Amino acid sequence: MPSDEFVIFDGPERNLLNLICRNVRRSEAITVFLEDYKVVWQSLSIPAYIIPLVALTGRPGDVTFSLRWIIVAAYPDLSRCMFKLNRQAAKRVLHEMDFWLPAATLLLGTLSGAWSCSFEPGLCLVFATYFIAYVILVLLDDADLSERVVDGGNDPVLYLIVLAIVGALVVIFLFGFCPAAESKLLYIEIINRT
């Protein structure tokens, strides 16, 4: 099947951070800072994704349940990954149904999970962070024009980690390992006017 070819320009003036800052030198300085400490941000984000899964199994008031706030440590690396995205490539990704269908269903699942936990603030932050991480690291991955991604694609280990986290969330909620969550009845009445 033939496809249209297009040119996407790359550089610090084309990333999302420059769109926010509107200053190339400032966005370059922030990008350099975030990339210089990339290993630190990634090292913080690994336990920040795993520890809240353990915290979900605790009861409100337990020490383990209070560990859910550690998910905030994932945001520097998420910001680094989002800020380096090429805005022209991100715009093309956002125009595809391959982005919107998984994003919409995940948003619905995120809202359902937050609703089952009665919108407890810490758990809402956990759900929102997993949603943001999936959108940035998986769905918007095609907008990352770094040499590593363009040359060989992303490491499949990242996708396996995301799959393991989502699978753990499903198991925790499906088998009732999250005492803070409770089943909610959603009743939709459809009126037939025929």
Side-chain angles (χ1 to χ4, degrees), residues 163-183:
L163 180 65
I165 288 173
V166 170
L169 277 172
V170 168
V171 167
I172 286 171
F173 280 99
L174 189 64
F175 296 113
F177 293 132
C178 182
E182 56 187 37
S183 296

Side-chain angles (χ1 to χ4, degrees), residues 2 6-7 17 29 33 37 46 56 58-59 61-62 88 104 109 132 137 142 149 163 167-168 171 180 185:
F6 52 88
V7 176
L17 183 60
F33 171 75
Y37 294 101
I46 292 170
L56 287 175
R59 297 192 182 284
D62 289 352
Q88 184 181 359
I132 292 167
L137 299 176
D142 290 337
V149 175
L163 180 65
V171 167
L185 180 63

